[in-house]
Amino acid sequence: TNRQSFISKKIIEVLTKQREKILLKQKEDHENLIHSIFPPAVGRDLIRRQTHELSKVNSETGCSFDHKNLGHMSLGRLAAQMHHEVTILFTDIVGFTSMSQTVAPQQVMEFLHKLFVRFDELVDRDSLLWK
């Protein structure tokens, strides 16, 4: 009957709006996660590439946005950026975990800054220390 069709249509509209809100929230959470992990330029590029990849998939399949596709997307080709005078140091600082739990974050950052500045000074003194 017309009444049942009308009610069914309204239910479908409400469920569709709820689903869209959920998907938009998941997309926002996904983008926030990307921005919390990567530098801003890399995060923007990843999101732009994923949006482009999703729109390609959706136009080919006729499907709407599906958050399940997000986990299966490649990171794409990110352009490498040149950084001059960069030091990469992998280290295990004895007592760091316990210190970082008992000292204010600002003090931890100051400690790390001083440590890495000293490391850079040592490397500047003797180029054989790094390869």
Side-chain angles (χ1 to χ4, degrees), residues 57-111:
V57 168
N58 292 342
S59 66
E60 292 169 3
T61 63
C63 295
S64 61
F65 177 78
D66 183 0
H67 73 284
K68 294 175 190 164
N69 291 333
L70 292 174
H72 300 290
M73 287 186 192
S74 68
L75 292 178
R77 287 190 211 171
L78 297 177
Q81 296 178 351
M82 177 66 78
H83 296 279
H84 297 282
E85 303 201 17
V86 172
T87 302
I88 299 176
L89 173 66
F90 296 95
T91 183
D92 182 11
I93 302 169
V94 175
F96 179 78
T97 302
S98 61
M99 184 220 22
S100 66
Q101 292 172 346
T102 59
V103 175
Q106 182 65 30
Q107 288 178 297
V108 173
M109 295 306 297
E110 287 172 13
F111 167 78

Side-chain angles (χ1 to χ4, degrees), residues 3 9 15 35-36 39 52 63 81-82 84 90 92 131:
R3 181 167 170 73
K9 183 179 176 183
L15 292 175
H35 285 296
S36 73
H52 176 72
C63 295
Q81 296 178 351
M82 177 66 78
H84 297 282
F90 296 95
D92 182 11
K131 295 184 187 216

Side-chain angles (χ1 to χ4, degrees), residues 34-56:
I34 287 175
H35 285 296
S36 73
I37 295 171
F38 296 102
V42 174
R44 284 190 304 271
D45 188 51
L46 282 171
I47 291 167
R48 182 184 56 77
R49 289 174 187 268
Q50 287 183 345
T51 301
H52 176 72
E53 194 172 322
L54 268 177
S55 65
K56 237 175 37 176

Side-chain angles (χ1 to χ4, degrees), residues 21-34:
K21 282 183 183 180
I22 290 169
L23 288 174
L24 286 173
K25 175 70 171 126
Q26 288 174 341
K27 182 178 183 277
E28 183 182 323
D29 291 346
H30 177 76
E31 290 178 2
N32 288 340
L33 178 63
I34 287 175

